[in-house]
Structures are given as structure tokens and as C-alpha cells.
Amino acid sequence: QITLKESGPTLVKPTQTLTLTCTFSGFSLSTSGVGVGWIRQPPGKALEWLALIYWDDDKRYSPSLKSRLTITKDTSKNQVVLTMTNMDPVDTATYYCAHRPGAVAGNDAFDIWGQGTMVTVSS
Amino acid sequence: EIVLTQSPGTLSLSPGERATLSCRASQSVSSSYLAWYQQKPGQAPRLLIYGASSRATGIPDRFSGSGSGTDFTLTISRLEPEDFAVYYCQLGSFGQGTKLEIK
């Protein structure tokens, strides 16, 4: 059974750096094709894809946020970390991490999601 | 960057009716990467369709996906009360969503 859980601060100040951790179980991020992504959703708004890291450490970022994002993985700890710099009130959102089986498994979508963590940016 | 445009923004239908949701890409894309998700209030999204037409595990067969190139469709053949939610298409980025509401 695959599970993912996001953790991190619930409140950050403008200009600060946000660090979120996705801790997962039920799969290995060293398995060929597998990826973990981050997606966010401001209150009442649409989903926004942020970043994705693959089993081979290939990384992809949203073009509009690329300069502010860094995604890393720790395979031994079953964790993926997302950092976002220069936080602004418009970054207030629920942040999700999700599992991506990958092309090898024939599924390049996010099939299992964490419950999400709400982050508020305010002074 | 590919932009996905979903229509309509809101769809009002009754249980038992057929729902057709559209997702249009700004340029031709590989259908292998087109996915559909369902999201209910306060919940994480749930994967319905991947590869444009493959149902995810546990998804009822009243949900079907089709399309290629720039135009993709999610069809719900006969709406159940639990199907009223917001639906997103995704290919890298997400569309803006279609809210399916009870008429």
C-alpha cells in the first residue's frame, strides 16, 4: 500500500524560504521510472504543478516557478524535499506530494496523493 | 509551455444524465501523458484516467476518456450522486477545472 504524507511549517513570513518534506512508504524511489511530484492549490483555486523528481534524480520544474524551487530526494529515508524561496502571500496554498508510477509501469500520472498540508504566508 | 483549457467552467446536470467534459491543449500533445482527476471539497485529487483513456485502479466503468492531438474528453455515462465534484485534466500543468454540479 502506497502512502505519502507532507510535513512542514503551517505559517511562513514573506521573503522566507519554505521547506516541505514528503515522507512515503510502499514504494522505492530507486525503482526504474518512479517519480514523486509536488502540486499546490490556493484556497478555492485550481491545482498547480510545481516540481517532479524521478528515480534517476532527473528533476523537472514548473517554468513559471523554476527560479524559486528546488526538489531533492533521500532514497534511504524515503523522503522528497521541496524548497521554495522568497515566499509571498500569493503562495498561500495546500501543498500536496504525489506518486508517479512512470512510463515503465505505463502510467505517467499522479496515482496516489498525500493528504496535503496548508501553508499560509503572512507577516 | 503547453496550456490546457477546460470547458465548460461549470456543468449543471442531474443524476442519471451523461456528462461530457472537454480539455483542449494549446498545441498537439502525446496522449500518453494526459490524465483526468476528480476532486471533492476538502479532499486530495483522485486519479481517474491516465494515458487519455486508461481507467485507474478502482475507477467505475461509467468514467471514460478519449481524444488525441489537442482535444480530449472525459465522459461520465450516467451520473451518480457521488460524481458531483471538480474535474481537472493534466499534462504537466493542470487545466483550470470543470465544476460538475447538481441541477
Side-chain angles (χ1 to χ4, degrees):
Chain A
Q1 178 192 2
I2 291 175
T3 64
L4 304 97
K5 187 172 185 179
E6 307 86 353
S7 59
T10 57
L11 178 66
V12 297
K13 291 180 168 48
T15 76
Q16 286 187 336
T17 294
L18 171 68
T19 299
L20 294 173
T21 300
C22 176
T23 302
F24 57 85
S25 63
F27 69 96
S28 172
L29 202 38
S30 59
T31 299
S32 179
V34 172
V36 171
W38 285 94
I39 304 97
R40 71 178 179 180
Q41 186 172 39
K45 296 188 177 181
L47 300 168
E48 180 181 17
W49 171 72
L50 300 176
L52 174 63
I53 189 165
Y54 287 101
W55 65 286
D56 60 356
D57 211 37
D58 185 18
K59 302 168 186 178
R60 307 294 170 89
Y61 296 101
S62 165
S64 61
L65 292 167
K66 184 175 183 177
S67 63
R68 299 174 53 205
L69 295 174
T70 303
I71 190 169
T72 60
K73 64 181 175 71
D74 187 331
T75 305
S76 64
K77 292 184 178 179
N78 281 353
Q79 291 181 333
V80 171
V81 175
L82 181 75
T83 61
M84 180 180 291
T85 61
N86 195 23
M87 293 291 285
D88 183 270
V90 300
D91 298 312
T92 293
T94 297
Y95 287 75
Y96 298 97
C97 63
H99 170 264
R100 184 162 173 150
V104 172
N107 181 349
D108 254 341
F110 294 117
D111 65 340
I112 307 294
W113 293 58
Q115 64 190 23
T117 186
M118 179 66 191
V119 178
T120 300
V121 184
S122 174
S123 55
Chain B
E1 182 181 3
I2 295 170
V3 176
L4 299 178
T5 302
Q6 293 187 239
S7 62
T10 302
L11 184 58
S12 299
L13 293 170
S14 300
E17 290 192 293
R18 180 184 185 92
T20 303
L21 287 67
S22 173
C23 177
R24 177 163 290 178
S26 57
Q27 63 190 75
S28 186
V29 299
S30 168
S31 60
S32 298
Y33 300 101
L34 196 285
W36 290 93
Y37 301 84
Q38 176 194 68
Q39 188 179 33
K40 297 179 180 179
Q43 297 184 14
R46 177 173 72 144
L47 176 65
L48 299 174
I49 301 287
Y50 64 93
S53 60
S54 297
R55 270 188 301 276
T57 303
I59 301 303
D61 60 8
R62 64 180 182 273
F63 290 91
S64 64
S66 63
S68 63
T70 60
D71 292 307
F72 298 88
T73 300
L74 174 70
T75 301
I76 310 172
S77 60
R78 189 176 173 83
L79 285 166
E80 297 287 342
E82 62 267 27
D83 298 336
F84 293 91
V86 180
Y87 291 84
Y88 295 96
C89 60
Q90 185 225 357
L91 192 150
S93 61
F94 289 86
Q96 82 279 19
T98 290
K99 181 179 181 180
L100 179 56
E101 64 177 23
I102 298 177
K103 188 174 182 179

